[in-house]
Amino acid sequence: MTFHYFFVLVFLFSTTTGEPTADRNALLAFISQIPHSPRIRWSASTSTCDWVGVTCDANRTAVVSLRLPGAGLIGPIPASTLGSLSSLRVLSLRSNRLTGPVPQDLSNLAELHALYLQNNLFSGGFPPEVPRLTRLTRLDLSGNNFSGEIPFAINNLTRLTGLFLERNQFSGSLPSISNLGLNSFNVSYNSLNGSIPASLQKFPASSFAGNLQLCGGPLAPCVPFFPSPVPSPFPSPGPPSGKSSKKLSTKAIIGIAVAAGVVALLALILLLFCCWSARKRGRSAKGVPKPAATAAAAGRSGDMGATSSSKDDIVAAAAGEREKNRLVFVGSGGGYSFDLEDLLRASAEVLGKGSVGTSYKAVLEDGTTVVVKRLKDVGVPKRDFELSIESLGKVEHANLLPIRAYYFSKDEKLLVFDYIAAGSLSSNLHGSRGSGRTPLDWDHRMRIAFAAGRGLAYLHGVARVVHGNIKASNVLLRPDPDATALSDYGLAPLFGPGATPASRAAVGYRAPEVVETRRATFKSDVFSFGVLLLELLTGKAPNQASISGEEGIDLPRWVQSVVREEWTAEVFDVELMRYANIEEEMVQMLQIAMACVALVPDARPDMAEVVRMMEDVASNRGAASEGDEGLRASSDDPTKPASVGRSTSTP
Ligand SMILES: *[C@@H]1O[C@H](CO)[C@@H](O)[C@H](O)[C@H]1NC(C)=O
Ligand SMILES: *[C@@H]1O[C@H](CO)[C@@H](O)[C@H](O)[C@H]1NC(C)=O
Ligand SMILES: *[C@@H]1O[C@H](CO)[C@@H](O)[C@H](O)[C@H]1NC(C)=O
Ligand SMILES: *[C@@H]1O[C@H](CO)[C@@H](O)[C@H](O)[C@H]1NC(C)=O
Ligand SMILES: *[C@@H]1O[C@H](CO)[C@@H](O)[C@H](O)[C@H]1NC(C)=O
């Protein structure tokens, strides 16, 4: 309707001097396409610079500010209008009823210092063009219907002093904003979650209020991700055991846990920043955030006025930092796609304090559940660590729990594994007997033994890796017992020569020679596997007295003594006694176990042999049942278990 009229105007004023012609056209196009209050009468007969809400520069050659607050503007900002005001320094459209996303061409406003869009009905994600307006000092998007995450790219706005995003629908976590000049900040009444980054903790609680899931800083403390485990009064390693912690009062435990958690959190905050910046940098293919931002993120804040050469240095350093603080997936990676930041934001629960460190069950925000093992006392340099884990990552076998990823920094070494819900053999075999627990029946135990044996044989034969830490708590059960998996293998080399595997291998499973040589070998693994078999047969836990304070026994010796004095079925787990016709198999398995725990390493079979022997036992299953013949036959010379075991293996 008014189109024709505007063309005339455009023509008229294009010949006028001292008039910002291009800007005038843009403004007319804008106002013609949007309903507005009659108060805004931009008359053709007056100079653009005298229009309501418009300010020009001193030469009257360009519009430098446009302020139309409460001007009854309704609907979306027409595209290709305001974006042409190339000299605009201030744009205020607050308190209207503007809708839709902010038009992309606003990114052309390279001179813009202040953008006030508050109290409208804008929606959509955080306007992606805003981070390109690098001269902005004030940005107010409050009181709209913006949603999605607040982008890390906001760090591009290095001159920002005021950022107002309150009363929107922003979600996700707050990016770390490392802008030292920022003195007004408000993100209250959104749907943000996660912890408040350290750089923003200087702002008052009212800047963050109304976000139900935001925590830390001026708000209530977050639950730390990797809560430090309750220190055990016993120094030695062992399977997860609630027993030791029961000796501390609940209050003391909470106190210690909270204090330790706070320390851990502080240490991790820095880490968090580094990867945050690293990740976002990695994601934006072209956009490189302002060096000062990354520098600050890397813990070198305060260098805002860096020269270009020192900026390069900082960028390089930050890139190195990113490289360093990466979560590295190994092998097939298990199809996971998350990064350290996701891991740190995960909710975590202590699974157990083991000999190599503490294990956590971490539930990521997308529901992915993994086990994070926080290694302690790693004694090798980064390169060696990486090589070890990379090669362990290549080991793939259904009965071995693969390492999925690792993280190495000066203060923190993490390994990531699949989470297996059914728990360990240790907890299934020994956990609260009798109280509603379904005992593992013989068939299950056999299949678990097989699976573990196959995994170990593969580890020894194909991968040429010494497990070094076989124990029931490292035997992880799946609903299908054939899929039972061994975990924690091959980690001994990570702890350097100072802390040898011997001091880490669980006491009751340790081969006698390892106590002296302090070196785990294939044969010492076989010994440990033998103890594991005895454990399955007897239902008794091997000697763990030094850690759990519990009465423990030297399983191999105990079994030998019982067997020597009088060959009875007494050694077997009472829970197995209810099943009929299994004695023969149990005896054969006992013989294999006894072969494995021979005192002299050379007398022990190797794992391939052990698996063969077990397969023989299984293949005879259901076949000729000779009653208690087996018991008697094998009772000849129980003190020489190795030979007994061998004889069973020969067909
Ligand atoms: C005004 O015009 C003169 C000459 O064209 C120029 O030197 C000066 O920078 C201009 N001032 C502004 C504020 O644009
Ligand atoms: C950051 O600002 C630069 C211009 O200084 C721009 O090219 C880049 O696209 C901006 N980054 C983002 C993510 O918007
Ligand atoms: C806000 O945006 C959501 C979608 O993002 C929409 O469903 C809702 O109606 C909007 N609310 C208002 C007041 O515009
Ligand atoms: C945080 O918000 C994001 C986005 O809404 C959501 O996907 C995630 O699950 C939330 N995280 C937590 C811990 O609530
Ligand atoms: C942030 O915004 C909320 C809601 O508008 C307001 O109540 C609060 O006082 C503001 N806080 C600061 C620090 O400006």
Side-chain angles (χ1 to χ4, degrees):
M1 44 149 201
T2 44
F3 232 71
H4 188 70
Y5 168 68
F6 277 114
F7 272 123
V8 176
L9 277 180
V10 166
F11 180 73
L12 273 178
F13 279 94
S14 60
T15 54
T16 320
T17 53
E19 183 69 13
T21 316
D23 291 351
R24 181 182 179 95
N25 295 347
L27 287 173
L28 288 172
F30 170 72
I31 210 70
S32 71
Q33 292 177 54
I34 194 163
H36 55 272
S37 110
R39 188 164 58 84
I40 316 297
R41 259 180 291 111
W42 287 349
S43 155
S45 57
T46 53
S47 164
T48 306
C49 299
D50 298 328
W51 286 352
V52 171
V54 177
T55 315
C56 293
D57 63 0
N59 291 357
R60 294 174 75 90
T61 54
V63 172
V64 294
S65 99
L66 176 63
R67 297 172 189 270
L68 298 173
L73 304 174
I74 299 175
I77 298 179
S80 315
T81 56
L82 301 184
S84 312
L85 302 172
S86 54
S87 301
L88 204 63
R89 295 161 60 89
V90 177
L91 176 60
S92 170
L93 300 174
R94 68 184 160 87
S95 306
N96 285 289
R97 294 178 63 201
L98 293 167
T99 58
V102 177
Q104 295 207 344
D105 59 357
L106 284 200
S107 61
N108 298 337
L109 304 182
E111 299 293 322
L112 204 63
H113 284 57
L115 180 58
Y116 301 105
L117 299 179
Q118 67 267 36
N119 301 326
N120 279 287
L121 297 166
F122 286 113
S123 56
F126 188 96
E129 57 275 22
V130 164
R132 294 198 218 130
L133 305 174
T134 51
R135 286 174 189 262
L136 276 185
T137 58
R138 305 294 277 191
L139 174 61
D140 197 333
L141 302 179
S142 65
N144 280 289
N145 195 15
F146 287 114
S147 54
E149 295 199 3
I150 299 171
F152 179 80
I154 206 143
N155 278 288
N156 226 11
L157 307 178
T158 51
R159 302 185 183 188
L160 212 56
T161 58
L163 178 59
F164 306 93
L165 303 176
E166 68 266 24
R167 294 179 290 114
N168 278 289
Q169 312 281 340
F170 287 117
S171 59
S173 54
L174 264 178
S176 169
I177 299 177
S178 46
N179 183 338
L180 297 177
L182 193 66
N183 53 39
S184 302
F185 179 78
N186 202 333
V187 290
S188 60
Y189 302 98
N190 280 287
S191 304
L192 299 167
N193 61 18
S195 61
I196 296 175
S199 58
L200 298 175
Q201 295 190 353
K202 61 183 174 182
F203 296 107
S206 76
S207 291
F208 304 98
N211 291 284
L212 288 179
Q213 301 195 58
L214 214 48
C215 59
L219 306 181
C222 302
V223 178
F225 315 114
F226 289 128
S228 257
V230 177
S232 158
F234 303 100
S236 309
S241 157
K243 297 245 163 60
S244 54
S245 50
K246 274 180 201 147
K247 300 201 168 161
L248 291 171
S249 79
T250 312
K251 270 185 193 165
I253 290 169
I254 291 171
I256 293 166
V258 166
V262 166
V263 171
L265 188 67
L266 285 177
L268 283 165
I269 274 171
L270 186 65
L271 204 63
L272 185 74
F273 286 172
C274 298
C275 15
W276 215 313
S277 93
R279 184 171 78 147
K280 303 289 171 161
R281 284 166 54 95
R283 275 190 184 166
S284 64
K286 298 178 220 160
V288 174
K290 213 50 185 195
T294 35
R300 284 160 228 245
S301 51
D303 204 0
M304 301 295 284
T307 65
S308 72
S309 76
S310 70
K311 269 182 187 172
D312 290 347
D313 292 345
I314 291 166
V315 169
E321 203 70 23
R322 165 184 54 176
E323 201 53 38
K324 261 190 266 165
N325 291 320
R326 199 158 63 98
L327 187 68
V328 185
F329 286 86
V330 296
S332 70
Y336 292 120
S337 68
F338 53 83
D339 56 25
L340 187 65
E341 179 198 333
D342 298 325
L343 211 52
L344 296 179
R345 276 197 279 167
S347 66
E349 159 195 336
V350 179
L351 285 178
K353 191 166 182 259
S355 46
V356 295
T358 305
S359 296
Y360 302 84
K361 171 186 172 185
V363 182
L364 308 188
E365 285 172 357
D366 66 1
T368 307
T369 305
V370 292
V371 170
V372 178
K373 204 174 272 284
R374 195 179 184 191
L375 302 179
K376 61 175 186 219
D377 310 330
V378 168
V380 294
K382 185 173 185 209
R383 191 77 199 117
D384 296 357
F385 183 93
E386 287 172 346
L387 288 174
S388 292
I389 302 299
E390 295 281 353
S391 78
L392 287 179
K394 296 199 184 93
V395 177
E396 278 195 42
H397 188 274
N399 302 120
L400 295 172
L401 186 74
I403 296 182
R404 296 307 192 182
Y406 69 88
Y407 167 79
F408 186 105
S409 75
K410 191 166 149 288
D411 306 310
E412 203 68 75
K413 283 95 188 158
L414 308 175
L415 295 181
V416 177
F417 299 88
D418 292 344
Y419 173 69
I420 294 185
S424 72
L425 175 60
S426 178
S427 58
N428 279 270
L429 202 54
H430 310 303
S432 57
R433 288 213 150 199
S435 62
R437 183 187 62 106
T438 338
L440 285 171
D441 64 26
W442 176 240
D443 183 57
H444 260 74
R445 295 192 199 192
M446 278 282 275
R447 289 162 72 184
I448 289 166
F450 269 123
R454 277 194 298 266
L456 190 57
Y458 180 89
L459 199 62
H460 286 183
V462 179
R464 305 299 299 163
V465 170
V466 172
H467 188 300
N469 198 5
I470 294 172
K471 55 181 179 181
S473 56
N474 283 339
V475 176
L476 304 181
L477 306 190
R478 291 193 168 104
D480 174 8
D482 297 335
T484 296
L486 289 175
S487 69
D488 272 18
Y489 47 87
L491 298 182
L494 303 181
F495 301 97
T500 53
S503 57
R504 296 183 172 272
V507 179
Y509 298 87
R510 196 187 287 171
E513 77 275 10
V514 173
V515 179
E516 270 170 38
T517 63
R518 303 175 69 77
R519 251 181 70 85
T521 60
F522 291 135
K523 291 289 188 183
S524 69
D525 273 357
V526 172
F527 184 96
S528 306
F529 184 76
V531 178
L532 196 69
L533 289 182
L534 292 178
E535 190 171 358
L536 279 166
L537 287 162
T538 63
K540 291 186 164 33
N543 194 350
Q544 301 272 322
S546 60
I547 19 151
S548 61
E550 211 178 304
E551 272 297 297
I553 51 168
D554 183 333
L555 255 189
R557 261 164 103 186
W558 178 75
V559 171
Q560 268 158 358
S561 68
V562 173
V563 166
R564 194 183 305 125
E565 282 161 22
E566 186 188 356
W567 185 252
T568 63
E570 219 171 80
V571 286
F572 297 120
D573 189 347
V574 288
E575 282 188 348
L576 290 174
M577 287 303 138
R578 71 183 77 176
Y579 306 105
N581 300 325
I582 58 169
E583 295 87 28
E584 191 187 343
E585 265 177 36
M586 291 202 301
V587 169
Q588 287 171 351
M589 289 297 275
L590 186 67
Q591 287 167 346
I592 297 170
M594 295 308 281
C596 292
V597 297
L599 287 181
V600 182
D602 285 341
R604 299 170 202 151
D606 60 30
M607 271 319 290
E609 262 180 280
V610 173
V611 170
R612 261 198 306 280
M613 290 189 250
M614 292 197 299
E615 275 163 3
D616 286 345
V617 175
S619 66
N620 292 336
R621 295 187 97 175
S625 175
E626 295 157 47
D628 58 355
E629 195 61 34
L631 277 176
R632 237 170 270 133
S634 53
S635 63
D636 321 333
D637 194 357
T639 52
K640 285 190 185 134
S643 57
V644 173
R646 286 261 161 74
S647 67
T648 358
S649 74
T650 42

